[in-house]
PDB file of all heavy atoms in Angstrom:
ATOM      1  N   PRO P  84       9.779  12.857 -11.757  1.00 92.00           N
ATOM      2  CA  PRO P  84       9.808  12.889 -10.287  1.00 92.00           C
ATOM      3  C   PRO P  84       9.022  14.083  -9.733  1.00 92.00           C
ATOM      4  O   PRO P  84       9.118  15.196 -10.243  1.00 92.00           O
ATOM      5  CB  PRO P  84      11.294  13.012  -9.961  1.00 92.00           C
ATOM      6  CG  PRO P  84      11.991  12.451 -11.159  1.00 92.00           C
ATOM      7  CD  PRO P  84      11.117  12.815 -12.337  1.00 92.00           C
ATOM      8  N   GLY P  85       8.207  13.800  -8.708  1.00 90.00           N
ATOM      9  CA  GLY P  85       7.400  14.839  -8.078  1.00 90.00           C
ATOM     10  C   GLY P  85       6.026  14.996  -8.704  1.00 90.00           C
ATOM     11  O   GLY P  85       5.168  15.668  -8.140  1.00 90.00           O
ATOM     12  N   TYR P  86       5.791  14.369  -9.857  1.00 92.00           N
ATOM     13  CA  TYR P  86       4.490  14.430 -10.523  1.00 92.00           C
ATOM     14  C   TYR P  86       3.715  13.163 -10.197  1.00 92.00           C
ATOM     15  O   TYR P  86       4.222  12.057 -10.363  1.00 92.00           O
ATOM     16  CB  TYR P  86       4.650  14.567 -12.032  1.00 92.00           C
ATOM     17  CG  TYR P  86       5.029  15.956 -12.463  1.00 92.00           C
ATOM     18  CD1 TYR P  86       6.332  16.409 -12.326  1.00 92.00           C
ATOM     19  CD2 TYR P  86       4.083  16.818 -13.010  1.00 92.00           C
ATOM     20  CE1 TYR P  86       6.685  17.697 -12.710  1.00 92.00           C
ATOM     21  CE2 TYR P  86       4.421  18.097 -13.400  1.00 92.00           C
ATOM     22  CZ  TYR P  86       5.727  18.529 -13.247  1.00 92.00           C
ATOM     23  OH  TYR P  86       6.072  19.798 -13.628  1.00 92.00           O
ATOM     24  N   TYR P  87       2.481  13.338  -9.763  1.00 91.00           N
ATOM     25  CA  TYR P  87       1.660  12.229  -9.300  1.00 91.00           C
ATOM     26  C   TYR P  87       0.385  12.096 -10.128  1.00 91.00           C
ATOM     27  O   TYR P  87      -0.126  13.079 -10.670  1.00 91.00           O
ATOM     28  CB  TYR P  87       1.259  12.445  -7.831  1.00 91.00           C
ATOM     29  CG  TYR P  87       2.402  12.221  -6.873  1.00 91.00           C
ATOM     30  CD1 TYR P  87       3.351  13.207  -6.665  1.00 91.00           C
ATOM     31  CD2 TYR P  87       2.523  11.021  -6.191  1.00 91.00           C
ATOM     32  CE1 TYR P  87       4.407  13.006  -5.792  1.00 91.00           C
ATOM     33  CE2 TYR P  87       3.576  10.814  -5.311  1.00 91.00           C
ATOM     34  CZ  TYR P  87       4.512  11.803  -5.119  1.00 91.00           C
ATOM     35  OH  TYR P  87       5.546  11.591  -4.262  1.00 91.00           O
ATOM     36  N   MET P  88      -0.123  10.858 -10.168  1.00 91.00           N
ATOM     37  CA  MET P  88      -1.437  10.599 -10.726  1.00 91.00           C
ATOM     38  C   MET P  88      -2.445  11.260  -9.788  1.00 91.00           C
ATOM     39  O   MET P  88      -2.411  11.046  -8.578  1.00 91.00           O
ATOM     40  CB  MET P  88      -1.676   9.082 -10.787  1.00 91.00           C
ATOM     41  CG  MET P  88      -2.998   8.680 -11.379  1.00 91.00           C
ATOM     42  SD  MET P  88      -3.280   6.880 -11.276  1.00 91.00           S
ATOM     43  CE  MET P  88      -2.019   6.238 -12.361  1.00 91.00           C
ATOM     44  N   LYS P  89      -3.336  12.064 -10.342  1.00 89.00           N
ATOM     45  CA  LYS P  89      -4.308  12.798  -9.540  1.00 89.00           C
ATOM     46  C   LYS P  89      -5.660  12.727 -10.239  1.00 89.00           C
ATOM     47  O   LYS P  89      -5.740  12.853 -11.453  1.00 89.00           O
ATOM     48  CB  LYS P  89      -3.855  14.252  -9.408  1.00 89.00           C
ATOM     49  CG  LYS P  89      -4.766  15.138  -8.618  1.00 89.00           C
ATOM     50  CD  LYS P  89      -4.206  16.558  -8.674  1.00 89.00           C
ATOM     51  CE  LYS P  89      -5.256  17.597  -8.556  1.00 89.00           C
ATOM     52  NZ  LYS P  89      -6.395  17.503  -9.417  1.00 89.00           N
ATOM     53  N   HIS P  90      -6.713  12.510  -9.456  1.00 85.00           N
ATOM     54  CA  HIS P  90      -8.053  12.482 -10.055  1.00 85.00           C
ATOM     55  C   HIS P  90      -8.797  13.766  -9.717  1.00 85.00           C
ATOM     56  O   HIS P  90      -8.656  14.334  -8.641  1.00 85.00           O
ATOM     57  CB  HIS P  90      -8.840  11.254  -9.599  1.00 85.00           C
ATOM     58  CG  HIS P  90      -9.108  11.209  -8.125  1.00 85.00           C
ATOM     59  ND1 HIS P  90     -10.193  11.831  -7.556  1.00 85.00           N
ATOM     60  CD2 HIS P  90      -8.421  10.635  -7.132  1.00 85.00           C
ATOM     61  CE1 HIS P  90     -10.169  11.618  -6.254  1.00 85.00           C
ATOM     62  NE2 HIS P  90      -9.101  10.902  -5.966  1.00 85.00           N
ATOM     63  N   GLU P  91      -9.549  14.232 -10.702  1.00 81.00           N
ATOM     64  CA  GLU P  91     -10.370  15.428 -10.517  1.00 81.00           C
ATOM     65  C   GLU P  91     -11.456  15.418 -11.580  1.00 81.00           C
ATOM     66  O   GLU P  91     -11.176  15.198 -12.766  1.00 81.00           O
ATOM     67  CB  GLU P  91      -9.512  16.686 -10.662  1.00 81.00           C
ATOM     68  CG  GLU P  91     -10.273  17.970 -10.429  1.00 81.00           C
ATOM     69  CD  GLU P  91      -9.384  19.195 -10.475  1.00 81.00           C
ATOM     70  OE1 GLU P  91      -8.158  19.068 -10.635  1.00 81.00           O
ATOM     71  OE2 GLU P  91      -9.929  20.286 -10.370  1.00 81.00           O
ATOM     72  N   SER P  92     -12.685  15.624 -11.162  1.00 81.00           N
ATOM     73  CA  SER P  92     -13.829  15.650 -12.088  1.00 81.00           C
ATOM     74  C   SER P  92     -13.877  14.403 -12.964  1.00 81.00           C
ATOM     75  O   SER P  92     -14.082  14.484 -14.179  1.00 81.00           O
ATOM     76  CB  SER P  92     -13.786  16.907 -12.956  1.00 81.00           C
ATOM     77  OG  SER P  92     -13.816  18.058 -12.152  1.00 81.00           O
ATOM     78  N   TYR P  93     -13.632  13.242 -12.370  1.00 79.00           N
ATOM     79  CA  TYR P  93     -13.707  11.944 -13.037  1.00 79.00           C
ATOM     80  C   TYR P  93     -12.637  11.732 -14.101  1.00 79.00           C
ATOM     81  O   TYR P  93     -12.753  10.850 -14.946  1.00 79.00           O
ATOM     82  CB  TYR P  93     -15.097  11.715 -13.638  1.00 79.00           C
ATOM     83  CG  TYR P  93     -16.192  11.820 -12.603  1.00 79.00           C
ATOM     84  CD1 TYR P  93     -16.958  12.970 -12.499  1.00 79.00           C
ATOM     85  CD2 TYR P  93     -16.433  10.779 -11.711  1.00 79.00           C
ATOM     86  CE1 TYR P  93     -17.956  13.083 -11.526  1.00 79.00           C
ATOM     87  CE2 TYR P  93     -17.411  10.878 -10.741  1.00 79.00           C
ATOM     88  CZ  TYR P  93     -18.169  12.042 -10.656  1.00 79.00           C
ATOM     89  OH  TYR P  93     -19.140  12.142  -9.706  1.00 79.00           O
ATOM     90  N   LEU P  94     -11.594  12.528 -14.082  1.00 83.00           N
ATOM     91  CA  LEU P  94     -10.479  12.378 -15.013  1.00 83.00           C
ATOM     92  C   LEU P  94      -9.174  12.252 -14.241  1.00 83.00           C
ATOM     93  O   LEU P  94      -9.065  12.711 -13.107  1.00 83.00           O
ATOM     94  CB  LEU P  94     -10.395  13.592 -15.947  1.00 83.00           C
ATOM     95  CG  LEU P  94     -11.594  13.827 -16.852  1.00 83.00           C
ATOM     96  CD1 LEU P  94     -11.436  15.154 -17.589  1.00 83.00           C
ATOM     97  CD2 LEU P  94     -11.751  12.687 -17.844  1.00 83.00           C
ATOM     98  N   LEU P  95      -8.171  11.644 -14.879  1.00 86.00           N
ATOM     99  CA  LEU P  95      -6.841  11.551 -14.282  1.00 86.00           C
ATOM    100  C   LEU P  95      -5.915  12.547 -14.948  1.00 86.00           C
ATOM    101  O   LEU P  95      -5.933  12.706 -16.170  1.00 86.00           O
ATOM    102  CB  LEU P  95      -6.272  10.138 -14.456  1.00 86.00           C
ATOM    103  CG  LEU P  95      -6.943   9.019 -13.688  1.00 86.00           C
ATOM    104  CD1 LEU P  95      -6.326   7.675 -14.069  1.00 86.00           C
ATOM    105  CD2 LEU P  95      -6.844   9.241 -12.192  1.00 86.00           C
ATOM    106  N   ASP P  96      -5.111  13.210 -14.141  1.00 88.00           N
ATOM    107  CA  ASP P  96      -4.100  14.139 -14.628  1.00 88.00           C
ATOM    108  C   ASP P  96      -2.773  13.800 -13.972  1.00 88.00           C
ATOM    109  O   ASP P  96      -2.726  13.174 -12.920  1.00 88.00           O
ATOM    110  CB  ASP P  96      -4.444  15.593 -14.262  1.00 88.00           C
ATOM    111  CG  ASP P  96      -5.650  16.116 -15.000  1.00 88.00           C
ATOM    112  OD1 ASP P  96      -5.730  15.891 -16.220  1.00 88.00           O
ATOM    113  OD2 ASP P  96      -6.503  16.745 -14.365  1.00 88.00           O
ATOM    114  N   LEU P  97      -1.709  14.256 -14.578  1.00 91.00           N
ATOM    115  CA  LEU P  97      -0.375  14.136 -14.000  1.00 91.00           C
ATOM    116  C   LEU P  97       0.046  15.532 -13.568  1.00 91.00           C
ATOM    117  O   LEU P  97       0.134  16.438 -14.395  1.00 91.00           O
ATOM    118  CB  LEU P  97       0.612  13.583 -15.028  1.00 91.00           C
ATOM    119  CG  LEU P  97       2.015  13.312 -14.501  1.00 91.00           C
ATOM    120  CD1 LEU P  97       1.992  12.137 -13.531  1.00 91.00           C
ATOM    121  CD2 LEU P  97       2.964  13.033 -15.638  1.00 91.00           C
ATOM    122  N   MET P  98       0.266  15.710 -12.267  1.00 86.00           N
ATOM    123  CA  MET P  98       0.649  17.031 -11.791  1.00 86.00           C
ATOM    124  C   MET P  98       1.291  16.958 -10.417  1.00 86.00           C
ATOM    125  O   MET P  98       1.262  15.926  -9.760  1.00 86.00           O
ATOM    126  CB  MET P  98      -0.563  17.965 -11.773  1.00 86.00           C
ATOM    127  CG  MET P  98      -1.654  17.547 -10.823  1.00 86.00           C
ATOM    128  SD  MET P  98      -3.153  18.575 -10.939  1.00 86.00           S
ATOM    129  CE  MET P  98      -2.519  20.206 -10.805  1.00 86.00           C
ATOM    130  N   ILE P  99       1.887  18.066 -10.022  1.00 86.00           N
ATOM    131  CA  ILE P  99       2.413  18.193  -8.666  1.00 86.00           C
ATOM    132  C   ILE P  99       1.250  18.675  -7.814  1.00 86.00           C
ATOM    133  O   ILE P  99       0.814  19.820  -7.959  1.00 86.00           O
ATOM    134  CB  ILE P  99       3.579  19.191  -8.608  1.00 86.00           C
ATOM    135  CG1 ILE P  99       4.721  18.724  -9.500  1.00 86.00           C
ATOM    136  CG2 ILE P  99       4.051  19.376  -7.177  1.00 86.00           C
ATOM    137  CD1 ILE P  99       5.861  19.711  -9.618  1.00 86.00           C
ATOM    138  N   PRO P 100       0.700  17.822  -6.964  1.00 73.00           N
ATOM    139  CA  PRO P 100      -0.469  18.228  -6.188  1.00 73.00           C
ATOM    140  C   PRO P 100      -0.108  19.281  -5.142  1.00 73.00           C
ATOM    141  O   PRO P 100       0.898  19.164  -4.451  1.00 73.00           O
ATOM    142  CB  PRO P 100      -0.931  16.940  -5.502  1.00 73.00           C
ATOM    143  CG  PRO P 100      -0.210  15.844  -6.190  1.00 73.00           C
ATOM    144  CD  PRO P 100       1.042  16.436  -6.747  1.00 73.00           C
ATOM    145  N   GLY P 101      -0.940  20.310  -5.059  1.00 75.00           N
ATOM    146  CA  GLY P 101      -0.797  21.307  -4.008  1.00 75.00           C
ATOM    147  C   GLY P 101      -1.375  20.778  -2.710  1.00 75.00           C
ATOM    148  O   GLY P 101      -1.965  19.693  -2.671  1.00 75.00           O
ATOM    149  N   SER P 102      -1.230  21.525  -1.644  1.00 68.00           N
ATOM    150  CA  SER P 102      -1.678  21.060  -0.334  1.00 68.00           C
ATOM    151  C   SER P 102      -3.176  20.776  -0.303  1.00 68.00           C
ATOM    152  O   SER P 102      -3.624  19.877   0.396  1.00 68.00           O
ATOM    153  CB  SER P 102      -1.297  22.067   0.742  1.00 68.00           C
ATOM    154  OG  SER P 102      -1.903  23.314   0.474  1.00 68.00           O
ATOM    155  N   SER P 103      -3.975  21.509  -1.085  1.00 72.00           N
ATOM    156  CA  SER P 103      -5.422  21.277  -1.099  1.00 72.00           C
ATOM    157  C   SER P 103      -5.807  20.100  -1.993  1.00 72.00           C
ATOM    158  O   SER P 103      -6.969  19.710  -2.033  1.00 72.00           O
ATOM    159  CB  SER P 103      -6.153  22.542  -1.547  1.00 72.00           C
ATOM    160  OG  SER P 103      -5.819  22.831  -2.888  1.00 72.00           O
ATOM    161  N   GLN P 104      -4.857  19.526  -2.714  1.00 75.00           N
ATOM    162  CA  GLN P 104      -5.150  18.451  -3.665  1.00 75.00           C
ATOM    163  C   GLN P 104      -4.565  17.111  -3.236  1.00 75.00           C
ATOM    164  O   GLN P 104      -4.604  16.155  -3.989  1.00 75.00           O
ATOM    165  CB  GLN P 104      -4.591  18.824  -5.038  1.00 75.00           C
ATOM    166  CG  GLN P 104      -5.178  20.102  -5.588  1.00 75.00           C
ATOM    167  CD  GLN P 104      -4.373  20.616  -6.765  1.00 75.00           C
ATOM    168  OE1 GLN P 104      -3.157  20.533  -6.775  1.00 75.00           O
ATOM    169  NE2 GLN P 104      -5.061  21.149  -7.758  1.00 75.00           N
TER     170      GLN P 104
END
Side-chain angles (χ1 to χ4, degrees):
Y86 283 78
Y87 287 80
M88 181 185 294
K89 179 184 151 309
H90 63 86
E91 182 176 357
S92 301
Y93 303 101
L94 298 173
L95 292 175
D96 292 315
L97 185 69
M98 64 186 309
I99 299 174
S102 60
S103 65
Q104 300 166 322

